[in-house]
């Protein structure tokens, strides 16, 4: 692997060629914003500037609890994830005790509008300015029209991407298309959401057209794999059209929007396919193994419509060549040198049963059929959707890897250097009072997990050795960030499954129910269902629009769990309160008149407001007594209890799950632990998403540096003494 630096232009301005790992185009970027316009007269110079745009704009999973404006949530337990069913612990958007403020830095509304103004790369409009500079320079340069189109097509995509991420939060924002000077004279008013959507769609149409000749014959060549394509642009266009059709922006349920989006997206699907995209699948899909292995592909991956590439380099003193994906180290248990993420009991209880239907105990999605199989929360792993086992890890399941964790801690179990690793994260307590207390965290996990354990682990997107025996990480147990720190796993922001489910949703909205169901069936087929039971779907979806839409939203929740998509779906469909709560100062056009005035009622969805999320853990049964605080104080071990064989997802699950169930029944007890907060009197508190959060207001920091921009309706304007905001993002 080589790194090439070229020198071009009069000022020895350095451009660069990407390091490549086999077929990969890697996004290892430098800042070439402050350059002479002469650079655009050279292919290598323009290429370096476009690569710089990638470096500024590509999404990443390398963010944990603090979600930043520039990185859409990738499924972590950030303030977005903790505002959904996926994690417990009140995220900022659902915290009932700390309402967000637009006039104070205390509990400030998140700033996705300006962010850090002192650093142009950290500033929202700094990135847009960089793209505009690149567009202007390329247009004014002396390259051939073909080369210009190649570069401009990529720039237009990323400008649309930046604006999409603004509009989904604010509705209407300032549309800037030239290179503005960063001074007070550069003022651009906020445009309506309608105009912003039109602008995004225009940029994406330009991108798709300009990239067609290079990408619609199977995608880019191997050395450019990872760049955006015509298909990427059209996929984001579909996501944008869906946003515009959704109740958040379409309060009256204007069916013409759905029909227009459906016609457009259906007609453009062939162009997306022509770029080499499709559902990832193999001829040997065992217990959802295809669903797992698509996240551990190298090189071309048909599922990966919009991706960020990484490498597994260790720090060699040249940090600009090292770009690692941190997700694996985030989710792996601590006794493998990872961190571990704890799934909420709510999302576990909501996953479908093996027949594709919702559990009878799931009191939401009530327009969807209930499973014939009995769900027992004491053994939640029995008889579930194949994707369940690729999303969560319970005590007694294999989760193999390649590496020796004893190099980091001699008490960590080796399990043949990870190749036969099983997670046994059951816990014990040191006192009976803690054991019975749902608020107590004084439990200790088996196999040296001790206090660094999760009750149920998030497993989604893992590089599982049983699925991929050529790991994407370069193991280094003694690294400060653990053995999985140097992973080259791809991050998929838009998967092909989303392309199909976006199309299914607009098909349903346009009342093309048969088409919507056919697309659902494709997703279910890859998951492991078959035509013999209609892919686990109920029969009335082609005749009941509300049930069909509910099935699509449910499918999105399962298919994209822990990929950062759920919060956007909850906001689009206003599922915190059904859109029934009025926002102070809002005009009548904000009133939800479509969907019977309440999306939750129409869908049969239980509003998230007023609910709380708990966590589950499996503790040692009372008959084995208490344990100690050290790795060798496991009561089961002291009582000579033999563990059953860990569930191996490569084999028939039925008998294995029954064996594990019997072992649990003899040795473990389910304990529901406090997830969301309780008050000082130990009384449960519940999620509350203030309806004004559907459209965010400008933070006080953003308002101070944009004094001429009006505040959003429903929010106080810090520039006008806290007066009510006046900007209406839904105004036509």
């Amino acid at each position: 692997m080589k790194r090439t630096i070229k020198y071009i232009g009069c000022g020895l301005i350095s451009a660069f060629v990407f390091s490549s790992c086999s077929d990969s185009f890697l996004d290892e970027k430098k800042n070439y914003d402050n350059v002479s316009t002469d650079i655009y007269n050279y292919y290598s110079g323009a290429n370096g500037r476009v690569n710089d745009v990638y470096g500024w704009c590509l999404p990443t999973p390398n963010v944990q609890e603090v979600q930043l404006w520039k990185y859409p949530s990738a499924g972590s337990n950030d303030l977005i994830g903790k505002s959904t069913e996926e994690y417990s612990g009140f995220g900022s958007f659902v915290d009932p005790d700390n309402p967000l403020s637009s006039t104070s830095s205390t509990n400030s509304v998140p700033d996705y509008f300006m962010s850090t103004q002192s650093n142009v790369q950290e500033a929202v409009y700094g990135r847009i300015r960089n793209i505009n500079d690149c567009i202007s320079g390329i247009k004014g340069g002396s390259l051939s029209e073909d080369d210009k189109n190649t570069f401009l097509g990529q720039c237009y995509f990323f400008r649309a991407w930046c604006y999409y991420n603004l509009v989904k939060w604010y509705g209407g924002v300032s549309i800037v298309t030239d290179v503005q000077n960063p001074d007070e004279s550069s003022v651009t008013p906020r445009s309506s959401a309608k105009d912003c959507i039109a602008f995004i769609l225009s940029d994406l149409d330009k991108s798709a057209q300009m990239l067609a000749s290079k990408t619609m014959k199977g995608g880019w060549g191997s050395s450019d794999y990872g760049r955006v394509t015509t298909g990427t642009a059209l996929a984001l266009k579909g996501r944008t059209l869906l946003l515009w059709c959704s109740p958040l922006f379409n309060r009256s349920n204007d069916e013409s929007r759905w029909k227009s989006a459906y016609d457009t997206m259906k007609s453009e699907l062939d162009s997306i396919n022509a770029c080499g995209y499709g559902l990832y699948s193999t001829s040997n899909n065992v217990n959802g193994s295809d669903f797992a292995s698509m996240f551990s592909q190298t090189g071309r991956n048909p599922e990966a419509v919009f991706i960020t590439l990484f490498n597994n380099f260790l720090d060699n003193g040249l940090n600009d060549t090292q770009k690692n994906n941190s997700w694996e180290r985030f989710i792996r248990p601590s006794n493998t040198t990872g961190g571990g993420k704890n799934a909420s009991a709510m999302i576990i209880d909501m996953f479908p049963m093996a027949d594709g239907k919702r559990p009878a105990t799931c009191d939401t999605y009530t327009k969807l059929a209930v499973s014939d199989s009995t769900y027992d929360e004491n053994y939640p792993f029995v008889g579930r959707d194949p994707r369940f086992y690729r999303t969560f890890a319970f005590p007694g399941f294999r989760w193999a890897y390649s590496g020796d964790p004893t190099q980091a801690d001699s008490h960590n179990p080796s399990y043949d250097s990870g190749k036969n690793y099983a997670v046994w994260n059951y816990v014990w307590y040191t006192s009976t009072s803690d054991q019975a207390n749902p608020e107590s965290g004084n439990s200790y996990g088996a196999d040296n997990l001790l206090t660094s354990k999760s009750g149920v682990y998030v497993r989604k997107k893992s590089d599982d050795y049983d699925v991929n025996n050529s790991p994407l990480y370069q193991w280094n147990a003694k690294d400060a960030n653990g053995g999985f720190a140097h992973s080259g796993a791809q991050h998929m922001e838009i998967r092909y499954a989303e392309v199909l489910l976006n199309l299914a949703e607009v098909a349903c909205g346009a009342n093309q129910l048969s088409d919507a169901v056919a697309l659902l069936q494709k997703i279910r087929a890859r998951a492991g269902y078959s035509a013999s039971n209609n892919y686990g779907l109920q029969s009335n979806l082609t005749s009941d629009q509300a049930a069909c839409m509910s099935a699509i939203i449910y499918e999105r929740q399962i298919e994209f769990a822990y990929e950062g998509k759920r919060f956007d779906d909850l906001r689009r469909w206003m599922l915190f309160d059904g859109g029934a709560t009025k926002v102070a100062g809002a005009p009548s056009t904000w009133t939800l008149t479509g969907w019977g005035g309440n999306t939750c009622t129409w869908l049969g969805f239980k509003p998230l407001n007023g609910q709380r999320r708990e966590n589950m853990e499996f503790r040692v049964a009372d008959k084995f007594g208490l344990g100690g605080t050290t790795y060798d104080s496991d009561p089961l071990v002291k009582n000579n209890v033999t563990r059953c064989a860990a569930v191996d997802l490569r084999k028939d699950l039925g008998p294995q799950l029954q064996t594990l169930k019997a072992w649990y029944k003899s040795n473990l007890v389910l304990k529901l632990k406090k997830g969301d907060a309780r008050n000082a009197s130990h009384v449960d508190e519940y999620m509350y998403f203030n309806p004004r959060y559907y459209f965010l207001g400008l933070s006080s920091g953003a308002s101070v540096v944009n004094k001429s921009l009006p505040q959003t309706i429903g929010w106080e304007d810090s520039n006008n003494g806290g007066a009510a905001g006046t900007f209406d993002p839904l105004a036509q």
Side-chain angles (χ1 to χ4, degrees), residues 376-412:
D376 188 339
E377 66 175 5
N378 293 292
Y379 317 105
F381 49 81
V382 175
R384 306 304 291 272
D385 181 296
R387 291 167 292 187
F388 181 90
Y389 305 103
R390 307 296 180 171
T391 304
F392 308 107
F394 286 79
F397 278 75
R398 281 179 61 92
W399 190 1
Y401 64 98
S402 179
D404 182 4
T406 65
Q407 296 171 349
D409 184 334
S410 62
H411 299 313
N412 285 337

Side-chain angles (χ1 to χ4, degrees), residues 534-593:
N534 193 31
Y535 304 94
L537 301 170
Q538 63 200 59
S539 60
N540 73 332
L541 299 187
T542 55
S543 58
D544 186 328
Q545 187 184 37
C548 184
M549 191 65 82
S550 187
I552 292 167
I553 294 171
Y554 188 32
E555 195 69 19
R556 292 178 69 94
Q557 181 178 17
I558 304 310
E559 178 74 17
F560 303 129
Y562 300 101
E563 295 185 45
K565 305 297 186 286
R566 181 59 174 171
F567 187 69
D568 285 350
D569 285 351
L570 293 172
R571 285 183 66 247
R572 285 194 304 109
W573 274 92
M574 309 181 82
L575 296 180
F576 293 96
D577 68 336
T581 311
K582 306 300 182 185
V583 174
S588 60
T589 51
W590 283 38
T591 301
L592 191 74
T593 56

Side-chain angles (χ1 to χ4, degrees), residues 402-475:
S402 179
D404 182 4
T406 65
Q407 296 171 349
D409 184 334
S410 62
H411 299 313
N412 285 337
S414 171
Y415 287 104
D416 300 323
S417 292
K419 293 180 177 61
N420 285 305
Y421 176 77
V423 57
W424 288 99
N425 53 314
Y426 61 82
V427 302
W428 62 85
Y429 285 81
T430 59
S431 76
T432 54
S433 59
D434 281 335
Q435 188 170 270
N437 182 1
E439 295 188 48
S440 174
N442 297 326
S443 59
Y444 297 84
D447 278 3
N448 202 42
L449 289 169
L450 299 178
T451 58
S452 299
K453 81 290 184 188
S454 294
V456 178
Y457 284 94
V458 174
R459 183 178 185 151
K460 183 71 173 289
K461 300 183 288 186
S462 179
D463 188 9
D464 185 342
Y465 189 81
D466 285 345
V467 171
N468 172 38
N469 59 15
S470 298
L472 304 178
Y473 47 85
Q474 189 173 169
W475 178 265

Side-chain angles (χ1 to χ4, degrees), residues 48-105:
R49 286 291 288 119
V50 172
N51 293 344
D52 186 51
V53 168
Y54 277 87
W56 285 31
C57 298
L58 281 171
T60 177
N62 295 345
V63 179
Q64 286 219 71
E65 295 185 8
V66 180
Q67 189 262 339
L68 305 176
W69 80 268
K70 60 183 178 179
Y71 301 134
S73 181
S76 193
N77 53 331
D78 51 29
L79 66 88
I80 301 299
K82 290 192 291 186
S83 298
T84 72
E85 303 96 333
E86 295 177 353
Y87 295 102
S88 66
F90 292 132
S92 300
F93 290 108
V94 295
D95 188 339
D97 296 324
N98 298 290
L100 298 175
S101 171
S102 58
T103 58
S104 171
S105 58

Side-chain angles (χ1 to χ4, degrees), residues 606-625:
K606 185 177 181 179
L608 277 188
N609 277 356
Q611 296 194 63
R612 58 179 284 114
R613 300 147 302 179
E614 309 294 3
N615 295 326
M616 60 171 61
E617 69 177 13
F618 296 88
R619 67 168 180 84
V620 170
D622 294 349
K623 63 184 178 182
F624 298 109

Side-chain angles (χ1 to χ4, degrees), residues 307-339:
I307 60 171
T308 303
L309 300 181
F310 293 89
N311 62 35
N312 62 3
F313 292 3
L314 277 66
D315 187 356
N316 58 1
L318 297 174
N319 287 323
D320 59 346
T321 67
Q322 177 186 353
K323 190 169 182 65
N324 306 141
N325 185 330
S326 296
W327 182 256
E328 195 74 24
R329 73 177 176 91
F330 288 166
I331 63 172
R332 285 282 184 169
S334 62
N335 63 2
T336 69
T337 77

